Amino acid sequence: MIIDTTEVQDINSFSRFEFLKEVYGIIWFLIPIFTPVLGITIGVLVIVWLEREISAGLQQRIGPEYAGPLGVLQAIADGVKLLFKENLLPSRGETRLFSIGPSIAVISILLSYSVVPFGYRLVLADLNMGVFLWIAISSIAPIGLLMSGYGSNNKYSFLGGLRAAAQSISYEIPLTLCVLSISLLSNSSSTVDIVEAQSKYGLGGWNLWRQPIGFIIFLISSLAECERLPFDLPEAEEELVAGYQTEYSGIKFGLFYVASYLNLLVSSLFVTVLYLGGWNISIPNIFGSELFDFEINKRYGVFGATIGIFITLAKTYLFLFIPITTRWTLPRLRMDQLLNLGWKFLLPISLGNLLLTTSFQLFSL
């Protein structure tokens, strides 16, 4: 049997072409997954560096300066240190709950980024119920904290987990009522539609001016959801050693650390989307040009998308100065004060704000 050499070469080249095509398809499948993860990781590292620099400035200290220029690599150094530390397990605890708890806390927060629009059409999932999906997913994180506290077989850890669950329930209701008011104003629960509704009226169309009471309640509730001072009762070191983190070490302890900053970043992003106009710079027709109008994201392709991402992140990181400075300014509340603030003050005020918004929308029809 005679085999033509040309045919063999054609078969081999076709096989190589098919293989390269499959590799190309896999790469394009993985790019949309790893790009947001890389961006979120860099964002968290920037927050950690910002908090250390701002806190150092408030306390008249030098802050991190040895790990990299201006100490920008300090967070990476801390992560590498935790990665190589021994991972200890409580001898009489529930090992499975102890191990699963940190993962649930991180994964539930990471899923929230899927509905955050970073620019025009730059969102992983533009859902009709996007903002409420964020609230539903973020409510899973305290379950992971409660599992961690129960699985540690430690009274301080268990008390920290119970505090986390009680705090989350207390402040999610006012937070949801504020989001519902924004949805009524925008006639949509999609994060993209909410930003576009604000862009129609320029700077005056920001929901910050239309919902000032809701903004203050949302800010307080988001701080409580992120367990930031003065609401860090679940890990109060003077009372509970370290709360639900007491028995953790190594990378599992690092996951809780990452989860807190992931939650802080996503909360700031939603403040930008819901109240600060999102990717829209909201200065329409300046000097007779539409360069800074909402239309830039539609007309200028990649350049417009880059500008939209930059504006969103700039607003987010400017807003982050509030929770960071609050941490080093206000003292910690007692548990009864925290619950009274949520149930006796924020809940009635947010409910009244929702009723006023509903009445306004009905009379404007």
Side-chain angles (χ1 to χ4, degrees), residues 22-39:
E22 291 179 2
V23 172
Y24 184 76
I26 293 173
I27 291 174
W28 274 106
F29 175 76
L30 294 176
I31 284 176
I33 298 175
F34 286 104
T35 302
V37 172
L38 180 62

Side-chain angles (χ1 to χ4, degrees), residues 299-335:
R299 296 183 180 180
Y300 293 95
V302 177
F303 175 73
T306 305
I307 293 295
I309 294 173
F310 175 77
I311 293 170
T312 302
L313 294 179
K315 292 178 181 178
T316 300
Y317 281 100
L318 285 174
F319 175 78
L320 278 171
F321 277 84
I322 296 177
I324 290 175
T325 53
T326 301
R327 176 178 180 180
W328 304 103
T329 306
L330 300 179
R332 180 183 294 119
L333 299 178
R334 295 196 313 266
M335 193 64 193

Side-chain angles (χ1 to χ4, degrees), residues 91-226:
S91 58
R92 297 183 181 181
E94 291 286 343
T95 307
R96 285 179 293 183
L97 294 180
F98 184 83
S99 302
I100 293 173
S103 303
I104 292 178
V106 173
I107 292 172
S108 61
I109 298 171
L110 278 176
L111 290 175
S112 303
Y113 286 87
S114 60
V115 294
V116 176
F118 292 91
Y120 179 69
R121 292 182 179 175
L122 287 175
V123 58
L124 291 177
D126 182 14
L127 304 177
N128 293 330
M129 301 293 289
V131 286
F132 293 106
L133 178 67
W134 163 57
I135 294 173
I137 292 174
S138 62
S139 63
I140 301 174
I143 298 176
L145 306 184
L146 186 59
M147 291 169 61
S148 302
Y150 180 79
S152 298
N153 192 28
N154 182 305
K155 61 180 180 181
Y156 298 116
S157 301
F158 188 50
L159 281 174
L162 289 176
R163 284 186 175 188
Q167 183 169 318
S168 175
I169 293 170
S170 301
Y171 285 87
E172 268 181 6
I173 301 174
L175 188 75
T176 306
L177 293 176
C178 293
V179 171
L180 187 56
S181 301
I182 296 296
S183 299
L184 286 174
L185 280 179
S186 307
N187 295 319
S188 175
S189 297
S190 168
T191 51
V192 175
D193 293 342
I194 290 172
V195 174
E196 292 182 356
Q198 296 176 77
S199 68
K200 296 177 182 178
Y201 307 103
L203 185 63
W206 284 7
N207 290 326
L208 173 64
W209 320 121
R210 304 165 71 189
Q211 287 280 311
I213 299 175
F215 173 75
I216 296 172
I217 297 174
F218 189 93
L219 172 61
I220 297 173
S221 301
S222 61
L223 285 177
E225 285 288 312
C226 296

